[in-house]
Amino acid sequence: MCPKENAAQIQSQIRALQDTIYVIGGKWKLPIIHSICKGNKRFTDIQHSIPGITKRMLSRSLKELEDNKLIVRNVDPDFTATIEYEFTQYALEYGKLILDMIRWGENHHKVITGKGTKR
Amino acid sequence: MCPKENAAQIQSQIRALQDTIYVIGGKWKLPIIHSICKGNKRFTDIQHSIPGITKRMLSRSLKELEDNKLIVRNVDPDFTATIEYEFTQYALEYGKLILDMIRWGENHHKVITGKGTKR
DNA sequence: CGGTATCCTCTCTGATACTG
DNA sequence: CAGTATCAGAGAGGATACCG
């Protein structure tokens, strides 16, 4: 598991890993990703699909996801300034990793609660 | 990317994913995992191998990793109460996912800084 | 050596009101 | 509709001192 690289390279790997976690970390990023995944594209639609989220947190989280190029914000000025959020191709490539993380998390839950098959 | 399951199941998947992130999230978990990976087993050795960490945070983080069964705490009462931390077999199975996350994080860094091949 | 206890700070999140 | 501004609370993390 532990690669045999020099110290500087490993520090950079740890940072890479922390970045990976940061991008989808926090309280709302994953529910938002899921909501867009389900077909919601507009700010208010996304907000209503996630119980408990405020405009403030939705706005901030969308901006961070956009900064990380996982979603794009499309403004259509012709049709009364409709704004839509969509996944980037890049985000779709992230999908497999997310599914792996889900699988690990589900198994982990069983392990911790003592109903697991492993350990 | 988005599975076609019912709502309750998806909520549980999102929770599973948030758990996955939480287990290795925070400021010190990954450096600690790396330090043990490199062969450090004792509290003080781990502490000295991670610049800036305090006893308090090391203690808390080790306890959380132990609660999540990624490491075990072995007390040897015969030899002046030596205490050693080690990975569980379970943690080693986590390794592949961590490597995938590192790879994504490294590529992500290139994408965000504009030097990436993707996007 | 391997921790705990206490206090403090700083960031993240929530509530609410306002805006083009 | 799609946000921004402001303020307040909760929680993560840091500094330091103490303990078996």
Side-chain angles (χ1 to χ4, degrees), chain B residues 95-108:
Chain B
K96 194 193 161 305
L97 177 57
I98 291 183
L99 291 180
D100 283 347
M101 291 171 74
I102 289 173
R103 273 191 282 275
W104 188 88
E106 287 177 336
N107 181 63
H108 181 66

Side-chain angles (χ1 to χ4, degrees), chain A residues 20 84 89-90 92 110 117:
Chain A
T20 307
E84 295 192 340
Q89 183 58 35
Y90 178 52
L92 298 178
K110 292 185 203 141
T117 55

Side-chain angles (χ1 to χ4, degrees), chain B residues 22 26-28 54-57 60:
Chain B
Y22 184 76
K27 191 169 177 179
W28 299 110
T54 60
K55 290 174 172 193
R56 180 179 126 89
M57 290 315 292
R60 289 173 66 115

Side-chain angles (χ1 to χ4, degrees), chain A residues 53-96:
Chain A
I53 198 169
T54 60
K55 289 175 173 194
R56 180 179 126 89
M57 290 314 292
L58 178 55
S59 176
R60 290 174 66 111
S61 304
L62 284 171
K63 203 168 291 175
E64 285 182 35
L65 290 171
E66 195 189 354
D67 289 345
N68 281 295
K69 301 201 192 309
L70 291 183
I71 60 174
V72 279
R73 181 176 182 275
N74 299 315
V75 183
D76 178 1
D78 299 330
F79 185 58
T80 63
T82 295
I83 295 169
E84 295 192 340
Y85 292 93
E86 291 180 292
F87 284 131
T88 59
Q89 183 58 35
Y90 178 52
L92 298 178
E93 292 163 19
Y94 199 174
K96 193 193 163 304

Side-chain angles (χ1 to χ4, degrees), chain A:
Chain A
M1 165 183 176
C2 199
K4 310 281 181 291
E5 279 129 88
N6 66 55
Q9 210 164 355
I10 287 166
Q11 292 312 313
S12 127
Q13 289 187 343
I14 290 177
R15 262 178 269 115
L17 191 37
Q18 285 170 329
D19 287 351
T20 307
I21 293 168
Y22 184 76
V23 170
I24 55 172
K27 191 168 177 180
W28 300 109
K29 302 274 183 63
L30 288 167
I32 290 168
I33 287 172
H34 170 250
S35 175
I36 295 175
C37 205
K38 278 285 142 185
N40 294 308
K41 290 173 183 299
R42 313 228 3 218
F43 190 93
T44 308
D45 292 341
I46 298 171
Q47 191 188 354
H48 291 158
S49 73
I50 304 173
I53 198 169
T54 60
K55 289 175 173 194
R56 180 179 126 89
M57 290 314 292
L58 178 55
S59 176
R60 290 174 66 111
S61 304
L62 284 171
K63 203 168 291 175
E64 285 182 35
L65 290 171
E66 195 189 354
D67 289 345
N68 281 295
K69 301 201 192 309
L70 291 183
I71 60 174
V72 279
R73 181 176 182 275
N74 299 315
V75 183
D76 178 1
D78 299 330
F79 185 58
T80 63
T82 295
I83 295 169
E84 295 192 340
Y85 292 93
E86 291 180 292
F87 284 131
T88 59
Q89 183 58 35
Y90 178 52
L92 298 178
E93 292 163 19
Y94 199 174
K96 193 193 163 304
L97 177 57
I98 291 182
L99 291 180
D100 284 346
M101 292 170 73
I102 289 174
R103 273 190 281 275
W104 189 88
E106 287 177 336
N107 182 62
H108 181 68
H109 182 72
K110 292 185 203 141
V111 171
I112 297 308
T113 55
K115 293 164 198 142
T117 55
K118 293 187 178 180
R119 172 48 204 301

